Structures are given as C-alpha cells and as structure tokens.
Amino acid sequence: MTRRLRLAAGLLVAVVTLVLPAVLDDSALAVYILLGLAAMVTVGVSLLMGYAGQVSLGQGAFYAIGAYTAALLALNGAPPLAGLVAAPVAAAISALVIGVPLLRLRGHHLAFATLAMQLILLSLAGQLEFTGGDIGLQGIPQFGVGSFEATSASVYAYLTWAGLALVMLVTHNVIASRPGRALRALATSETAAASSGIPVGRYKLVVFALSATFAGLAGGIYCFYTGYVAPGSFPVLISIQYIVMAVVGGLGTIWGAVVGATAITLLVQGLDLLASLPGMPTYAPSVLSYAVYALVLIVVVLFMPHGLVPAVSGRLSRKRARTPYR
Amino acid sequence: MSAFLTYLLNGLAVGSAIALIASGLVVIHRVTGVVNFAQGTFAVVAGLCTSSLLGLGFPHGVSEVAAVLAAALAGLLTGLAAVGRPGTSPLSALIVTLGVGVLAYAVEIVLWGDQPRSAPGLAGSVTLVGARIQTQHLLVIGVAAATFVLLALFFGRTYLGKALTACASNPYAARVVGIDTRRMGLLAFALGGLLGGIAGVLVTPLRPISFDTDVTLIVNGFAAAVFGALTRPVVTLAGALLLGVAETMAAGYGYGSHQLEVALGLMLVVMIVQAGRRSTISQEST
C-alpha cells in the first residue's frame, strides 16, 4: 500500500473506533469492549508465536493474574488506577519468574507446559482463601481516577481501545527495532541466532513477559468492567481462543491480531444470536461456539497458514505489482 | 500398612489407564512426529459410547468393543485432519488436533449433553494380602498389561508393526523401500484412538466422564509420555505407573485436592530436566 492510502485507512479506523462507543447500545458495547480486550491479548500472542516462534497455550493465565491483581488491590482500598497499573506489572513479573524454567522448553513441550501452568493457577485460585475460592471475588469497585468514576460502559470502551492502541504501538516499535529482527532470527533457528551473538534466552524471556504484560493489562480492565473475577472466567478454552484469533488474523502481524479477534468475536456473537432464536435447543450457544472455534482453526491452519491479513494484503500487493507491466 | 498397599494397588490401576493414553501418544508421535492433543478425546468418546450402549440394553463386551472401535474411528478421522494433507508441519498438526478436540466438544454435547456419565463395570472387591481392591481396578491392570504385551508383539513381530517402526526411525528411508508413510501415519492415529478408547472404557466405571474430562486425561498422558521422551514405550509405562501411584498416595494421605498439581508439577520438572540434558542443536534437528 502507498503511504497516503495507508494513512487514510489508519485515520478511518481511528475515527470509526472513536465514534462507535457513542452510538452503540449497552449490549453491543459489551461486545465491543470484550473484542478490544481479546485483541489486546491476541496482539501479544501474535508477537510471541508469530515473531519469536514460541507457542503459549496458557495466555489466559496472565489475563487471570492481571484481573486478580487489580481486583484484590481495589477490594483492599487501593485506588483503581493503582490496580490497573499493577495488573500488567504483576503479569510481567510472574511471566519472568515462570519463564526462566519454562522457556528452556520448545515446541510441543512448551505448549503443554504453558497449559499446565494455567491449570495449576486455576486450581490454586479455586482453593486459596484470599482469591475467594471457586466463588471468586465480587463487588469490585468501579474504575476511576481521583473524583471521576467510570459509571457508563462507554468509558470502559475508550479505556479498552486506548489500551489496545498503546499495546499495538509498543508491539510495532518492538518489531521494527533491532531486537525485533533478533526475535525473527531466533524463531528460525536458535542455534544460528545464538552463534551470531543474539542473547537467545534473555530475548525469549523478555518477549514472553511483554506478551504477558498485554494480557495482564486486558485482565485489569476486564475485572473493573465486569465487577467480579472467578476461576470460571478464565477456562483453558479462553487461551485456545486467543490462538485461534491470532492464527486466523495472521501470526506475526499486528493488524492480523486485531482483525482475527474482530472476525472471531463477531462470528461467535452472530451465532449466539442465531442460537438464542426460539426453537433452538438450550445447548446451542456453547455447541455453536465450540464448533466455530474448531472449524475455523482447522481450516485456517490447513488451507491458509499465513492467516487472513497476509493473504489479503499479499493478493493486493501482487495485483498492484502486476499493473505497471500491463 | 494395608492402607499403603491399597493406595499402591489403586495407584497402579490409575497408572495403567494413564499408560494406555500415553502409549497412544507415543505411537502417534513415533510414527508421525505429531503430539496428538485429541488423545484424551478418544477416551471420552469411548466412555460416553459405552454408557449409551449399555443404557440401550446391549450386553457387556459388545458395548465395550463397539465403543473402542468408535474411538479408533475417531482416531482415524483425527489423523485425516492432522496428517492427511501433505506438508503439514508437526506444530501445525498439533494445533489441528487441538481444533479436533474442541470440535469433539460440540459433537459430544449434541449427542450426550454436558453432564458427566458413568457406566457399570465389574462389581465387588477382592482382598489381596490384607488390602482391599475393587475388581474393576484389577481388570484395568490386567487389560493394560495384556495390551502392552500385544503392542510389543505387534511392533516387534509383524510386518505392519515393523513398517510403522521404520517410518518412526527414518521416514525418508521408509518411503524409499516402498512404505506409504501417509497411510502408516493414519494407521498410527487409528491405533492411538484404539488405545485411548480402551483407556476410556476401563476408566468410565471408576470415575464419571464428561465432555471436558479430556483435558485431565491428556495432561496426565502427556506427563507420562514425556518420561519416555515421547518415543520409548517402556519408560512411558514406568512413568505412568509412578504418576498414578504418586497421585493416589497424595489423595490417600490427605492432599486429594492437589492431585492435578502433583501430576502437572512432575511433568514440568521432568520436561525441564530433560531439556537441560539435551543440546539445543539436537532438539532443532528433530
């Protein structure tokens, strides 16, 4: 795409993003907020999996850590802003601690280890006293800064999408930098990367922590928006959902993560509407969403391994490259 | 002392069931290089089928065999999705089997609902050297032992088994001598489904199975399989028995709520120790 076209597209997206919270009703706004939060986590997954080549099936764990951190702080009287700042920090610190032993694994070993991490965390959260056990934490105060209190959903929508913009900006700068190229190198071959002087272990740990930070931030916003957190809010399926979104949009592309999150969220929402029509069995919503996640994942991995965004932009640029010769 | 012995025997039974799931993982991974995330699903499918067939009035034996065959069919279908298309990398195939597992959720809920189901097994219990053990537990141990012997004979003595082993050790050379590696991959998946199915049929009378039980099953199976680095069946068997005994002991001596953590913690430790012992370059070449 030419620079001008790209700028125009970016402006259009920005304007639509900013206008939407003002025009949507509350139920649509809920979808909009959850979409933004999912996109925030998915950008991290896309960076970790597509760029650094590390699979994490436990990204939901960091989402949960962020949510629980913010919730616990807010319930114990800390200002909500402190909770929101602490959420990504706590997620990053846990990723650094967990990552040191875990990132020595690779491929399917790492996938299973991250899954195990999430299962252990959920099981602990369901048993410990201070996390409220299986019931979880309820009555989390509204988000606010100073005397201002977020009472309407549109405030959360702006907060979410501002967070997403920040996350995308950070990711863009990481990818464009020298360490970004190093990450791509170590995804291809760790041995080759290490022999050309890239501190492989440290870089993997940092990118793991960065993707956890994004998930933690999303979790922090989530807990203020919904007002409660429980182990049941973060099932293993949520981590798989982020993988589906990242793979569908296109791994290793920032916009791919957003497009993937949007496509999957809207698809599942549409099917939910369909499933709640009169005459549908009660299990229809869950069955349809499982089936959609599964089929989309299988079809995209097998037939469109690079995802939607690279496929479309590749076709566009090929077409544009061809025109001058005609 | 008799309590200890009871826990030990029960643990061996749990371990045998884990070993069957793990052996399915090992067979599939050896032949195709794919870690099959849907391995727990096969057990769930078989368990749910048994409960339905018994409920419809089919006799024991017939129901169990039909359920195991259904699981083998599920294995074959999973294989078609995961390795049926040439050029799918093992990591992509892992994600495909993950997708198959989630797809199975949808099918299972439509067919069986989302409530746990159980099936009657062998009733009664026997007393062995002062330790009471349920007959079903003994059956699990016996069937698992027989299955492992048959597997060893199959891989060691039959042409088909040797062809599978050839694919495992060197796919290129196997193709050169005229072995269809794709068909062998599908066969390995069907065999994995069969093994998972046997485990499911045996476990259903012991603890009720619901559509999402597969996560616990696959995690336990994978934990056992990593003991044998996903390639060595005998070490896998030892790992599974150790895991089963450790879990049962933890439950018996009052840490019942931490069973899952015990299994997962063991798996993580083993994987990390193994990763530290192998060099990066040998891991990248495989």
Side-chain angles (χ1 to χ4, degrees), chain A residues 106 123 127 190-191 294 302, chain B residues 35 85 99 257-258 261 283-284:
Chain A
R106 55 173 51 77
S123 170
Q127 287 168 28
E190 286 187 15
T191 317
L302 287 181
Chain B
V35 178
R85 194 179 148 83
S257 48
H258 298 294
E261 285 94 321
Q283 287 180 54
E284 277 183 1

Side-chain angles (χ1 to χ4, degrees), chain A residues 192-226:
Chain A
S195 60
S196 52
I198 295 169
V200 170
R202 204 189 317 154
Y203 275 14
K204 280 205 289 190
L205 195 59
V206 168
V207 76
F208 188 59
L210 194 61
S211 74
T213 312
F214 298 165
L217 179 63
I221 299 176
Y222 172 82
C223 93
F224 286 117
Y225 173 60
T226 57

Side-chain angles (χ1 to χ4, degrees), chain A residues 49 53 55 57 101-102 104-109 111-113 115-117 119-120 123-124 127 186 188-192 236-237 240 243 247 283 286-287 290-291 293-295 297-298 301-303, chain B residues 29 33 35 37 81-82 85 88 91-92 94-96 98-100 102-103 105-106 109-110 211 215 218-219 222 226 230 257-258 260-261 264-265 267-268 271-272 274-276 278 280-281 283-284:
Chain A
M49 220 170 133
V55 183
L57 291 183
L102 236 53
R104 303 172 62 163
L105 307 170
R106 55 173 51 77
H108 48 253
H109 285 98
F112 269 87
L115 173 73
M117 168 195 81
L119 287 173
I120 292 176
S123 170
L124 286 179
Q127 287 168 28
L186 75 86
T188 324
S189 164
E190 286 187 15
T191 317
V236 171
L237 192 71
I240 296 174
I243 305 269
V247 169
Y283 56 70
S286 56
V287 166
Y290 284 138
Y293 283 137
L295 289 176
L297 185 63
I298 295 172
V301 167
L302 287 181
F303 299 101
Chain B
H29 182 263
V35 178
F37 214 94
R85 194 179 148 83
T88 314
L91 205 58
S92 303
L94 168 81
I95 297 184
V96 170
L98 188 71
V100 171
V102 177
L103 187 62
Y105 280 7
I109 295 178
V110 171
F211 74 98
V215 176
I218 182 68
V219 162
F222 188 78
V226 296
L230 286 164
S257 48
H258 298 294
L260 188 70
E261 285 94 321
L264 297 174
M267 168 174 105
L268 290 178
M271 286 203 298
I272 291 163
Q274 279 181 351
R278 281 183 301 164
T280 313
I281 200 153
Q283 287 180 54
E284 277 183 1

Side-chain angles (χ1 to χ4, degrees), chain A residues 21-22 24 26 29-30 33 142-143 148-160 224-225:
Chain A
L24 293 174
D26 264 7
L29 213 47
I33 293 169
Q142 294 281 358
F143 181 73
F148 170 77
E149 202 169 90
T151 41
S152 76
S154 57
V155 177
Y156 287 102
Y158 284 120
L159 185 65
T160 303
F224 286 117
Y225 173 60

Side-chain angles (χ1 to χ4, degrees), chain B residues 29 44 194 227 256 258:
Chain B
H29 182 263
V44 171
L194 193 78
F227 274 94
H258 298 294

Side-chain angles (χ1 to χ4, degrees), chain A residues 159-317:
Chain A
L159 185 65
T160 303
W161 286 80
L164 179 62
L166 178 70
V167 160
M168 288 170 73
L169 189 69
V170 169
T171 311
H172 177 81
N173 283 322
V174 167
I175 289 177
S177 69
R178 222 173 117 82
R181 289 196 298 278
L183 286 178
R184 249 180 304 177
L186 75 86
T188 324
S189 164
E190 286 187 15
T191 317
S195 60
S196 52
I198 295 169
V200 170
R202 204 189 317 154
Y203 275 14
K204 280 205 289 190
L205 195 59
V206 168
V207 76
F208 188 59
L210 194 61
S211 74
T213 312
F214 298 165
L217 179 63
I221 299 176
Y222 172 82
C223 93
F224 286 117
Y225 173 60
T226 57
Y228 74 92
V229 287
S233 323
F234 315 100
V236 171
L237 192 71
I238 206 174
S239 300
I240 296 174
Q241 171 200 314
Y242 298 132
I243 305 269
V244 177
M245 289 171 172
V247 169
V248 166
L251 286 171
T253 61
I254 303 175
W255 282 103
V258 181
V259 170
T262 311
I264 296 291
T265 311
L266 293 183
L267 193 59
V268 169
Q269 271 306 315
L271 287 170
D272 266 0
L273 286 181
L274 186 76
S276 56
L277 289 179
M280 293 294 265
T282 47
Y283 56 70
S286 56
V287 166
L288 280 177
S289 59
Y290 284 138
V292 167
Y293 283 137
L295 289 176
V296 167
L297 185 63
I298 295 172
V299 168
V300 169
V301 167
L302 287 181
F303 299 101
M304 217 192 328
H306 298 296
L308 274 177
V309 165
V312 170
S313 69
R315 188 155 296 175
L316 279 179
S317 60

